[in-house]
Amino acid sequence: MRLSTRAQYAVRAMVDLSLYSQGRPVSLKEISRREEIPLNYLEQLFFRLKKGQIVTSVRGPGGGYVLAREESAIKVGEIVVTVEEQLNPVACLDEGDRSCQREARCLTHTVWQGLGERIKGFLDSITLEDLTRGARARHADEGNNGNGACRTAG
Amino acid sequence: MRLSTRAQYAVRAMVDLSLYSQGRPVSLKEISRREEIPLNYLEQLFFRLKKGQIVTSVRGPGGGYVLAREESAIKVGEIVVTVEEQLNPVACLDEGDRSCQREARCLTHTVWQGLGERIKGFLDSITLEDLTRGARARHADEGNNGNGACRTAG
DNA sequence: TACATACTTGACAATTATAGTAAGGTATGC
DNA sequence: GCATACCTTACTATAATTGTCAAGTATGTA
Ligand code: FES
Ligand code: FES
């Protein structure tokens, strides 16, 4: 029952972007440095995030990425789904998968269904704003020394 | 965010055992046939389930496995944890793992922590009894034709 | 006692998914 | 026209998962 590190990286990178972008584009190089995530790997992530319309890119020198919407409109669940493709705990909940046509007789199906809903519901109840709020407050308190971000490995 | 099929098999097998055992031991061969799970694989699962004290074994001819406790005292979460070892969505929540010592500064940590609690909480809120109750009722209605069990692939 | 049943246990192969690397291309501002 | 930084595909190494094999041990029954 593990979330891929890809998804963890994506959320961390998005929080970082959200925290350090004040309207201006943030380069992946920066995020890579701060979050200690390989640049090439970040590129892959943001390729997906862009396709998922969570971020917008600005090419050329001085370019980078910007949130496609405001912080409060971007849910953690969205980010995870975008980079993971699937959030369902079991295969038979996947759309387009015909391996599970006997749901009516399956006693365990409802368990996984309920679990999937809980997971999605929880992750969708949290926005980037929720995550950056605390750091911003701290940041303001400490007089702009710019060290409130998450740089850990988890 | 996938549950291993091992865990899915384990839950299905336990539901099957719970449903067909009326105090008497149920052989893995039977379960294997009904649930279409490879016998050798079941053996591995039940090795773990026995270590986890969720089932008890009876050796020799006519032997098999019996629930170690009553249905209502066996939670789905327990079964999953027993065969999976870990239910945490991210590594930094694991005990004994020292890779995550900067939690205080990590903005995403609380998300995964909350998620883990939800998952565990939900799976622990469901017992084997909850899952077999419906099938038993149907079984009784249909006059003991013994076909109420889950035989699906999911 | 002999035998069949069925649990016990460890080792191992095949497959798949993940994490990470590499490399070359494209757009754009200065 | 050059440096920056995004864009995209391909590939590899590693790990986990799934499933198989095989050789045991215990025990009830004939
Ligand atoms: S049929 Fe979907 S879980 Fe069994
Ligand atoms: S430190 Fe645990 S999730 Fe970041």
Side-chain angles (χ1 to χ4, degrees):
Chain A
M1 208 67 212
R2 277 281 164 85
L3 205 67
S4 64
T5 67
R6 186 161 72 221
Q8 294 174 56
Y9 280 166
V11 176
R12 266 173 59 209
M14 286 297 295
V15 170
D16 182 285
L17 170 56
S18 179
L19 202 55
Y20 286 99
S21 164
Q22 314 290 353
R24 78 170 173 101
V26 177
S27 74
L28 293 187
K29 211 189 215 170
E30 258 186 79
I31 300 179
S32 166
R33 210 174 20 236
R34 275 194 299 260
E35 300 291 336
E36 298 177 72
I37 302 170
L39 178 59
N40 291 324
Y41 205 37
L42 268 184
E43 287 178 340
Q44 282 185 49
L45 291 185
F46 276 79
F47 178 44
R48 291 169 190 247
L49 292 172
K50 191 191 172 186
K51 264 203 307 191
Q53 302 187 311
I54 295 182
V55 297
T56 297
S57 66
V58 179
R59 302 183 77 151
Y65 288 93
V66 188
L67 298 185
R69 278 162 277 148
E70 48 192 30
E71 286 184 328
S72 58
I74 298 178
K75 306 169 198 160
V76 172
E78 257 186 294
I79 300 172
V80 174
V81 167
T82 300
V83 301
E84 289 266 281
E85 293 304 317
Q86 283 297 346
L87 201 46
N88 294 328
V90 304
C92 91
L93 293 173
D94 293 352
E95 288 181 44
D97 190 339
R98 295 279 147 265
S99 72
C100 179
Q101 302 174 317
R102 307 162 92 177
E103 299 165 20
R105 269 183 284 164
C106 180
L107 299 181
T108 62
H109 189 83
T110 55
V111 177
W112 312 133
Q113 198 162 24
L115 181 59
E117 281 160 16
R118 301 299 176 106
I119 292 173
K120 185 120 183 52
F122 178 69
L123 292 181
D124 276 348
S125 75
I126 303 171
T127 68
L128 282 185
E129 191 186 26
D130 296 327
L131 295 178
T132 55
R133 194 180 298 124
R136 279 189 205 291
R138 224 176 305 135
H139 187 259
D141 284 353
E142 289 168 2
N144 285 0
N145 64 15
N147 259 329
C150 171
R151 305 188 182 186
T152 70
Chain B
M1 206 68 211
R2 277 282 163 84
L3 205 66
S4 64
T5 67
R6 186 161 72 221
Q8 293 174 57
Y9 280 164
V11 175
R12 266 172 61 207
M14 286 299 294
V15 169
D16 182 285
L17 170 56
S18 179
L19 202 56
Y20 286 99
S21 164
Q22 314 289 355
R24 79 170 171 101
V26 178
S27 74
L28 293 187
K29 211 189 217 170
E30 260 186 80
I31 299 179
S32 166
R33 208 172 25 235
R34 275 194 299 261
E35 300 292 335
E36 298 177 73
I37 300 171
L39 178 58
N40 291 322
Y41 204 38
L42 270 184
E43 288 176 339
Q44 283 184 44
L45 290 185
F46 276 79
F47 177 47
R48 291 170 192 244
L49 292 172
K50 192 190 172 188
K51 263 203 309 188
Q53 302 188 311
I54 295 182
V55 298
T56 298
S57 66
V58 180
R59 302 184 76 150
Y65 288 91
V66 188
L67 298 185
R69 279 162 274 148
E70 48 192 29
E71 285 184 328
S72 58
I74 298 179
K75 306 170 199 160
V76 171
E78 255 186 296
I79 300 172
V80 174
V81 168
T82 300
V83 301
E84 289 265 280
E85 294 302 318
Q86 283 298 345
L87 202 45
N88 294 328
V90 303
C92 91
L93 293 173
D94 293 352
E95 287 181 44
D97 189 339
R98 294 280 149 264
S99 72
C100 180
Q101 301 174 320
R102 307 162 92 178
E103 297 165 22
R105 269 183 284 165
C106 181
L107 300 181
T108 62
H109 190 82
T110 54
V111 177
W112 313 132
Q113 198 163 24
L115 180 60
E117 281 160 15
R118 301 296 176 108
I119 292 172
K120 186 119 182 52
F122 178 69
L123 293 180
D124 276 348
S125 74
I126 302 171
T127 69
L128 282 185
E129 192 187 27
D130 296 327
L131 296 178
T132 55
R133 194 181 297 124
R136 278 190 205 291
R138 224 176 305 138
H139 188 258
D141 284 353
E142 289 167 3
N144 283 3
N145 63 16
N147 260 328
C150 171
R151 302 190 182 185
T152 72

